[in-house]
Amino acid sequence: PSAVESGNLGTYLDARGQDEVTISVGAGDGLAFGPTNVWVDPGTTVVWEWTGNGGGHNVQAEGGDFESDLVDDEGHTFEHAFTEPALVRYFCEPHRDLGMRGGVRVVEE
């Protein structure tokens, strides 16, 4: 189920108009992305930055478009540029069943 279907609405950030946006990996109790859901314009680069909390995490797109290494180091980053309008759902593989999921909505201008 998606974040909305599971009842875990998380946090939202409207980052349209920004060239780059950062999402924390290991936010909250260490088993979340923060913000959980982000709206961006086409061409925006999303940077995931590890907090060092919650053990090893990765960032993996449900459609397989991108996948980071499994890392637990604070300050580690992984980035992906989103070019086409879409809803891209992603998750942390080791903590997927615990609800560690997020989404990037690329909004047509």
Side-chain angles (χ1 to χ4, degrees), residues 38-88:
V38 179
W39 283 20
V40 299
D41 294 318
T44 302
T45 297
V46 174
V47 179
W48 286 270
E49 183 172 355
W50 275 245
T51 64
N53 298 324
H57 301 296
N58 74 341
V59 178
Q60 186 172 339
E62 284 190 1
D65 291 342
F66 56 84
E67 181 179 350
S68 75
D69 291 332
L70 183 63
V71 178
D72 62 3
D73 298 334
E74 180 180 357
H76 177 79
T77 60
F78 171 75
E79 61 184 57
H80 181 78
F82 291 85
T83 57
E84 300 293 324
L87 170 59
V88 179

